[in-house]
Amino acid sequence: MTDLREARMSRAQFFRMMGGLAAAAAATACSTKPQTTTAQGKPAATELKFVGVADQKAPMEELIAAYKQAKPSVSLTTTFAPPDQVQTSVRTQLGAGNAPDLHVVYPGNGSAMSMSQIAKAGLLADLSDQAWTQTIPSGFKPAFQNDGKTYMYSAGSSVIGAAYNTKAFEKAGIDAPPTTWTEFLAVCDKLKKAGITPIALGAQTPWVTQLITYALVPSTVYAKDPTFDDKQLAGQTSFAQSGWRQAMEMYLELQKRGFFNDNPNGTTFEQQISTVATGKAGMAIQVSAVLPDFRKAATSPTDLSMFPVPGADSADQVWIPAGVVVGLGASAKGKNAAEAKAFIDFLGKQESINRWAKAISAIPLTQDSGSTIDPAVQSFLPFTKDRAVPFMDQRWPNAEVQPVHFAVIQELLAGKIKIDEALKKMDEAYAK
């Protein structure tokens, strides 16, 4: 457990980092490592394979096209799969030694495809010699690094909040986003009375199940005790003994009041997007990285925006989740490892960071005059100074808790278990 303790960021470090995201970063150049050449003196053709998740598709396609101009001899073949599928299929390929050259990597330590879990198994290439790694804000380093070495690339950070249809809110007579839990419930009630499903929940897609608790726990747990993660790791507290219980009660309160669509466990992420984009539902609790998907499905991109989910009855006690966005790494055992690392080096250029962050409505890892922040996430920025915490799983000690969290939420929504049992199962998984 010692290495895990050393890898953890303190809440104070995280707050300082979030306040300093605007620090300038040095641009890094494309790798100049020697290439194999043909008999004609031209660089030998190299094909790299990448397996990622859906919200990586837009930035990857744009940056691959740019890389092709810089290195015509290198081609990248991409495949994009749902997160739940990637967590099993790519992890299996890594273990079997037939992983793609480049693949999705989740920050921190809380899933089977997380940076720490894969790096400790010796399956990720070390990126520490790349210049961009020197610009990682100190508070973010535990998301990127294991034992002081960098194994993952990510373009920035994202937030979890309510992605909402502005026209649906107008139709229901809602003038402004809520700032307290009581106001949030009142907004849901207005939407329901206007014949609009207040919250679209696609809980059939497992990873979607976690987002409402993630949105509420910063206010119910960390606003009261910013050191909760450290105490939990030391065995001084647990899910069952904390504000996680209150967050789950609030989650089920939304269901009890009829604020979700019918049969959330039979509704997919794609259906969730569709109902909000068309105005049939007022909002969905989601990560800002998928906001572009909602906009693509809407009549007009301006119909969709976001606001922080207020998980407390006092506005000054509302905290938000903000974490490093899903990234990618290079297979340590791939035959094209050097060329795969060169592509990641290209992604580390400030221009590439700006492009990626813009494509997924993220806050860029480092910023310069060409960086932009999506207007939809502007309302989250005041919280990032001292009222934001990393996504919960990024500080869990193993990859067991997250799938248990998915499962117990589905069971709670189905009425198969009670909150006590759900929290007990999560505590048991945490202790493994």
Side-chain angles (χ1 to χ4, degrees):
M1 297 294 287
T2 302
D3 60 330
L4 285 173
R5 289 177 186 274
E6 293 174 348
R8 303 301 182 192
M9 75 176 90
S10 71
R11 297 292 161 187
Q13 286 177 314
F14 180 78
F15 298 151
R16 289 195 295 271
M17 174 280 304
M18 290 302 288
L21 272 178
T28 59
C30 191
S31 174
T32 56
K33 292 181 180 179
Q35 294 179 322
T36 303
T37 58
T38 64
Q40 291 75 32
K42 296 181 180 180
T46 302
E47 180 185 3
L48 300 176
K49 294 183 178 180
F50 170 75
V51 177
V53 291
D55 54 295
Q56 294 180 311
K57 188 174 188 294
M60 278 294 288
E61 289 181 345
E62 181 178 344
L63 288 165
I64 286 172
Y67 193 66
K68 187 69 176 177
Q69 293 183 344
K71 280 195 172 181
S73 62
V74 179
S75 62
L76 281 92
T77 302
T78 60
T79 302
F80 300 95
D84 310 303
Q85 181 178 328
V86 166
Q87 292 277 2
T88 55
S89 63
V90 178
R91 190 66 179 85
T92 300
Q93 289 177 324
L94 282 165
N98 60 346
D101 305 290
L102 296 154
H103 56 79
V104 62
V105 178
Y106 288 85
N109 191 55
S111 71
M113 284 298 294
S114 64
M115 178 279 304
S116 289
Q117 293 288 323
I118 308 173
K120 285 185 290 187
L123 301 174
L124 281 175
D126 183 3
L127 307 174
S128 303
D129 61 348
Q130 299 188 357
W132 68 269
T133 66
Q134 304 306 308
T135 70
I136 299 172
S138 59
F140 271 172
K141 287 181 180 179
F144 289 80
Q145 297 179 349
N146 186 66
D147 288 337
K149 296 180 179 180
T150 301
Y151 291 98
M152 183 194 83
Y153 166 85
S154 175
S157 60
S158 61
V159 295
I160 295 173
Y164 73 104
N165 188 302
T166 57
K167 289 185 176 178
F169 270 47
E170 290 172 6
K171 181 181 176 181
I174 301 166
D175 299 324
T179 59
T180 68
W181 179 247
T182 300
E183 291 177 2
F184 183 77
L185 295 177
V187 162
C188 290
D189 194 51
K190 283 186 177 181
L191 288 164
K192 185 177 179 181
K193 289 178 178 177
I196 301 168
T197 299
I199 303 171
L201 177 56
Q204 181 177 322
T205 302
W207 66 268
V208 175
T209 60
Q210 68 191 325
L211 299 178
I212 292 180
T213 36
Y214 278 23
L216 296 172
V217 161
S219 300
T220 65
V221 176
Y222 299 98
K224 300 170 183 176
D225 184 3
T227 65
F228 173 77
D229 285 332
D230 298 320
K231 290 178 179 177
Q232 187 179 26
L233 191 62
Q236 298 170 2
T237 188
S238 65
F239 293 117
Q241 295 172 302
S242 71
W244 271 85
R245 179 182 302 279
Q246 182 184 355
M248 287 189 174
E249 290 170 349
M250 295 163 76
Y251 201 145
L252 294 185
E253 181 181 6
L254 296 174
Q255 183 185 38
K256 183 178 179 180
R257 290 184 177 226
F259 292 158
F260 295 148
N261 47 281
D262 292 337
N263 191 22
N265 283 344
T267 304
T268 66
F269 166 61
E270 291 76 17
Q271 291 170 321
Q272 178 189 57
I273 289 177
S274 177
T275 54
V276 176
T278 58
K280 294 179 181 178
M283 59 183 143
I285 313 305
Q286 263 294 350
V287 63
S288 58
V290 301
L291 186 58
D293 294 319
F294 282 81
R295 286 172 169 158
K296 286 178 184 177
T299 303
S300 170
T302 58
D303 290 350
L304 274 299
S305 190
M306 289 191 75
F307 65 84
V309 176
D313 279 324
S314 177
D316 62 1
Q317 292 299 304
V318 173
W319 285 35
I320 67 164
V324 173
V325 298
V326 61
L328 70 153
S331 173
K333 300 179 180 179
K335 64 178 181 180
N336 299 312
E339 197 61 65
K341 289 178 63 175
F343 177 69
I344 294 178
D345 198 36
F346 169 78
L347 296 182
K349 296 175 63 177
Q350 186 63 48
E351 181 183 357
S352 299
I353 289 173
N354 290 343
R355 283 185 172 187
W356 190 301
K358 183 178 180 181
I360 59 170
S361 301
I363 301 170
L365 182 69
T366 51
Q367 298 178 30
D368 66 0
S369 58
S371 303
T372 59
I373 295 177
D374 194 308
V377 300
Q378 290 286 345
S379 63
F380 293 81
L381 297 183
F383 293 85
T384 60
K385 183 179 180 180
D386 57 6
R387 289 192 285 158
V389 295
F391 296 163
M392 283 76 253
D393 59 274
Q394 292 182 12
R395 293 206 63 193
W396 288 340
N398 59 52
E400 304 292 330
V401 186
Q402 190 177 60
V404 171
H405 183 211
F406 296 165
V408 298
I409 293 297
Q410 289 177 329
E411 290 175 317
L412 285 169
L413 292 171
K416 293 182 178 180
I417 62 172
K418 301 294 184 181
I419 290 175
D420 283 347
E421 187 177 351
L423 294 171
K424 180 182 178 182
K425 287 184 177 182
M426 290 180 64
D427 279 325
E428 289 172 347
Y430 187 95
K432 290 183 179 180

